[in-house]
Amino acid sequence: MASSFLQQVADYMRTRRYAKRTIETYLHWIRFYILFHKKQHPSQLGNAEVELFLTWLAVERHVAFKTQSSALNALVFLYREFLQQPLSLQLNFNAAKTPPKLPVVLTRVEVGALLRWIDPKYKLVAQLLYGSGLRLMEAVRLRVKDIDFDYLSVMVWQGKGNKNRRVTLASELVPALRQQIIHVERLLDADLQNPVYSGVWLPYALALKNPAAPKQLGWHYLFPSNQLSRDPESKLIRRHHLDETCVRKAIKFAAFQAKIGKNVTCHTLRHSFATHLLESGADIRTVQEQLGHSDVKTTQIYTHVLSRGGNAVKSPLSLLLHGDGGAV
């Protein structure tokens, strides 16, 4: 990182336990903001310059609403937390517009077809995405200890919004998960024979509090990479988790093979989990807790795609064709 200022921001965020991807995203937008204003120091800028930058993103770059929001969050952090110069709560800028997006949901038959076609190496991950409603990164970051076989649940730590939650685990996955843990244990046994192996990465100061933890089975990733790699920060040799890009590609290809004519992504399985839970009669508050949504309004979007037999909205054309109007 060439800029000493950005390095200071990065160090500040790390000491306050911000997620790695959040740090990368915030640094990207802060750097972009500084370059936009001809490399002026942010402490010499303020509300007007932030408004100008955000408006430029929407009007000239035509960024999506979420992209502009990400930039705004980065700058709010910069001024409020790092520079101690909070921005106005009434910023006046052109907001990027985004059309409301409904979730793509698979039928149960389509989910079954997808799981039959997916590469066996990624099947268990996909089953957890659908069976427990996990986000992709939540799934690949699972540690062995996060699987609770006694209570058939999965512990998700530092999920989106840095929240923790417990989600359901399908009992049918227990044998496959036990086999996966045996696979992780075998890799660990081999790694421990390697003198340069430094154990798995642990968050924050946990490795300092428990020096033995990085080489204990429970802390290792449930879905480990096939290869050892060098930690870019510590430069130590570790075994990271499975590359999430591989899972994305596997699900895309499985959907193609299964001839599913929908835009299927990893998140589609999470959408399907929520919708099928509601279809089966689960309370919306329960689904909200399973998904980790802060606001029930976020969960309510799944009620728009439900079709509950007689309660479903009937098309007037159906009434015309099957009612007193006769065939047309």
Side-chain angles (χ1 to χ4, degrees):
M1 188 180 300
S3 168
S4 60
F5 175 76
L6 292 179
Q7 184 62 59
Q8 291 171 21
V9 175
D11 292 341
Y12 179 89
M13 296 182 74
R14 289 193 188 97
T15 59
R16 282 153 183 79
R17 302 182 177 181
Y18 280 80
K20 181 181 178 181
R21 294 202 174 195
T22 302
I23 296 174
E24 292 172 350
T25 300
Y26 280 18
L27 291 179
H28 166 77
W29 286 116
I30 293 170
R31 179 177 179 275
F32 202 166
Y33 171 69
I34 293 172
L35 293 175
F36 177 78
H37 287 295
K38 312 298 183 186
K39 298 186 178 181
Q40 294 183 70
H41 196 282
S43 63
Q44 304 303 314
L45 308 174
N47 292 327
E49 289 76 17
V50 170
E51 292 170 352
L52 183 63
F53 176 64
L54 295 174
T55 297
W56 177 78
L57 287 177
V59 175
E60 299 296 332
R61 295 293 295 266
H62 305 291
V63 301
F65 174 78
K66 287 186 177 181
T67 303
Q68 189 188 47
S69 295
S70 179
L72 174 60
N73 290 339
L75 296 179
V76 167
F77 160 80
L78 173 66
Y79 281 96
R80 184 180 62 195
E81 303 294 333
F82 186 74
L83 295 176
Q84 302 284 302
Q85 300 173 16
L87 297 170
S88 168
L89 295 177
Q90 305 296 328
L91 289 176
N92 182 24
F93 59 91
N94 286 8
K97 293 179 173 58
T98 182
K101 188 176 181 181
L102 292 176
V104 175
V105 176
L106 302 179
T107 65
R108 287 177 172 82
V109 172
E110 288 172 330
V111 173
L114 179 73
L115 294 177
R116 283 193 297 274
W117 278 102
I118 196 167
D119 186 327
K121 291 186 296 185
Y122 308 108
K123 185 174 183 177
L124 184 55
V125 181
Q127 288 175 319
L128 284 171
L129 296 180
Y130 173 66
S132 300
L134 299 180
R135 299 177 178 91
L136 174 58
M137 293 310 300
E138 291 173 344
V140 299
R141 287 173 177 164
L142 286 176
R143 313 269 180 160
V144 170
K145 68 177 185 59
D146 296 335
I147 306 299
D148 188 335
F149 291 110
D150 295 326
Y151 289 93
L152 287 179
S153 58
V154 179
M155 295 300 300
V156 178
W157 302 97
Q158 283 82 51
K160 188 174 181 180
N162 204 33
K163 291 179 291 188
N164 305 325
R165 71 184 193 280
R166 182 186 291 269
V167 299
T168 188
L169 172 64
S171 59
E172 293 77 7
L173 294 183
V174 168
L177 284 168
R178 291 197 183 279
Q179 281 299 119
Q180 182 64 22
I181 292 174
I182 291 174
H183 169 66
V184 176
E185 189 171 18
R186 288 171 179 165
L187 285 178
L188 176 58
D189 288 342
D191 290 340
L192 292 177
Q193 302 302 313
N194 188 337
V196 299
Y197 182 63
S198 299
V200 71
W201 176 85
L202 291 183
Y204 320 138
L206 184 58
L208 295 177
K209 296 178 182 177
N210 185 359
K215 294 186 178 181
Q216 292 174 347
L217 175 64
W219 285 103
H220 279 71
Y221 289 112
L222 182 62
F223 300 106
S225 169
N226 288 329
Q227 297 179 332
L228 295 175
S229 58
R230 188 177 299 277
D231 187 321
E233 293 182 8
S234 66
K235 309 304 180 185
L236 298 175
I237 300 299
R238 303 189 185 282
R239 188 177 294 277
H240 200 47
H241 59 64
L242 176 70
D243 185 351
E244 64 275 13
T245 304
C246 297
V247 184
R248 292 193 183 101
K249 291 179 179 178
I251 285 180
K252 278 287 186 184
F253 187 65
F256 172 76
Q257 293 287 86
K259 296 181 171 57
I260 299 174
K262 298 176 181 177
N263 182 27
V264 180
T265 66
C266 294
H267 220 63
T268 302
L269 293 175
R270 176 174 159 89
H271 292 324
S272 302
F273 163 84
T275 304
H276 296 168
L277 268 187
L278 289 170
E279 282 181 338
S280 64
D283 180 81
I284 195 167
R285 292 287 184 181
T286 300
V287 178
Q288 177 192 359
E289 291 175 1
Q290 290 284 313
L291 295 175
H293 290 160
S294 299
D295 193 335
V296 73
K297 291 180 181 178
T298 309
T299 315
Q300 285 174 339
I301 191 171
Y302 298 108
T303 63
H304 298 307
V305 295
L306 291 180
S307 176
R308 299 190 178 185
N311 293 328
V313 176
K314 295 290 186 182
S315 166
L317 179 62
S318 298
L319 298 175
L320 177 64
L321 293 177
H322 299 287
D324 295 335
V328 177

